[in-house]
Amino acid sequence: MKLDNSWAVVTGGASGLGLATVRRFAERGVPTVIVDLPASDGERVAKEVGAVFGPADVADPDAVNAALDLAEGPIRALVHCAGRGGTVRVVERDGQPGSLEMYESIVRTNLIGTFNMLRLTAARMVTNEPVEDERGVCVLTASVAAWEGQIGQIPYASAKSGVVGMTLVAARDLARKLVRVCSIAPGTFDTPILSRFSDEIRDGLARQTPHPQRLGRPDEFAALAHHIIDNPMLNGETIRLDGAIRMPPK
């Protein structure tokens, strides 16, 4: 997808995977709308890289549309990185059933928010004039937890499995409209989601990766996202980006 005279949208763009992706767009001279929560560093990051900030909860249609309205040209690339973690067990250690409220909240951000961003951005992309038989590209973020969710990750794993499930269907749905859809399923990456864990746990996660034996770097995610955008034959695929890790139960 050629992005000349076009705009990109990056959710979760104030930190982690999204921030690395925003910086790559800035290096390419692609104007970008950063969509992140109002309390995030989105405004500061936007000023730093020359982007614009659209404060929004990705599951809020009105707020997302207001953010998309900030683009001053055709939107041809979406990289959706916004997400959150949280621990819920089916039955908690005290014998109580796991929190339905927490489950719903995590699924709302990670799955409902993904579909909301996809549908609203794609609806704008399909009105674009084709460039070399393409109107736009949507890159979603799944996770290896979609296949190997660990104990306590049931809402997160449920949501990320949903992202994997929607990827091929969305690509088929949008094919005639010349919009591609792919997902990236990162393994253990050095992002704010992992910052709530101790150094001991983070080091343990790094050692579980066969090669390279470390946490993934956000720019490695960004590099793949940009390759998906650039490569017109990548469509309907979820690509694991994980150093060959296969997560244990806990």
Side-chain angles (χ1 to χ4, degrees):
M1 179 80 250
K2 290 189 174 181
L3 298 179
D4 299 341
N5 303 312
S6 301
W7 281 67
V9 174
V10 180
T11 71
S15 64
L17 306 179
L19 176 57
T21 304
V22 166
R23 285 176 171 157
R24 283 206 169 222
F25 277 125
E27 290 169 3
R28 295 175 65 168
V30 178
T32 302
V33 177
I34 297 171
V35 180
D36 213 318
L37 293 171
S40 72
D41 287 334
E43 190 67 50
R44 179 187 62 77
V45 171
K47 290 179 180 178
E48 175 189 319
V49 301
V52 295
F53 177 48
D57 178 334
V58 293
D60 181 337
D62 291 339
V64 168
N65 269 323
L68 297 179
D69 285 342
L70 296 174
E72 297 177 2
I75 297 171
R76 295 189 184 271
L78 165 68
V79 183
H80 175 60
C81 302
R84 55 167 296 201
T87 301
V88 177
R89 288 173 174 253
V90 180
V91 178
E92 300 293 349
R93 289 189 174 92
D94 62 4
Q96 295 298 309
S99 170
L100 183 59
E101 290 182 355
M102 177 68 80
Y103 183 93
E104 287 181 334
S105 177
I106 294 169
V107 170
R108 178 171 176 77
T109 297
N110 292 339
L111 182 57
I112 305 302
T114 297
F115 178 65
N116 191 46
M117 284 303 311
L118 175 62
R119 74 186 184 98
L120 295 177
T121 310
R124 296 175 185 236
M125 288 180 175
V126 300
T127 67
N128 293 338
E129 287 298 316
V131 175
E132 296 184 351
D133 291 328
E134 293 197 272
R135 288 192 171 100
V137 185
C138 300
V139 181
L140 312 178
T141 302
S143 167
V144 297
W147 299 277
E148 301 128 31
Q150 296 186 295
I151 293 170
Q153 280 191 319
I154 195 162
Y156 186 78
S158 299
K160 295 302 185 179
S161 296
V163 174
V164 172
M166 79 168 63
T167 302
L168 179 59
V169 181
R172 287 172 164 174
D173 189 359
L174 294 170
R176 290 186 179 181
K177 295 180 174 64
L178 308 183
V179 173
R180 291 188 287 119
V181 182
C182 282
S183 291
I184 301 173
T188 49
F189 270 66
D190 191 9
T191 66
I193 284 182
L194 286 186
S195 65
R196 60 193 178 96
F197 296 114
S198 67
D199 289 342
E200 182 180 1
I201 291 175
R202 286 160 53 87
D203 291 344
L205 290 170
R207 288 192 297 271
Q208 290 174 19
T209 305
H211 178 70
Q213 201 168 75
R214 58 170 171 79
L215 297 177
R217 296 166 183 155
D219 192 59
E220 292 166 331
F221 173 95
L224 179 55
H226 278 258
H227 179 73
I228 291 170
I229 292 166
D230 292 339
N231 190 328
M233 279 301 288
L234 281 171
N235 195 17
E237 187 60 72
T238 298
I239 303 169
R240 290 183 68 125
L241 186 66
D242 61 11
I245 198 171
R246 295 299 181 268
M247 299 298 290
K250 60 182 178 179

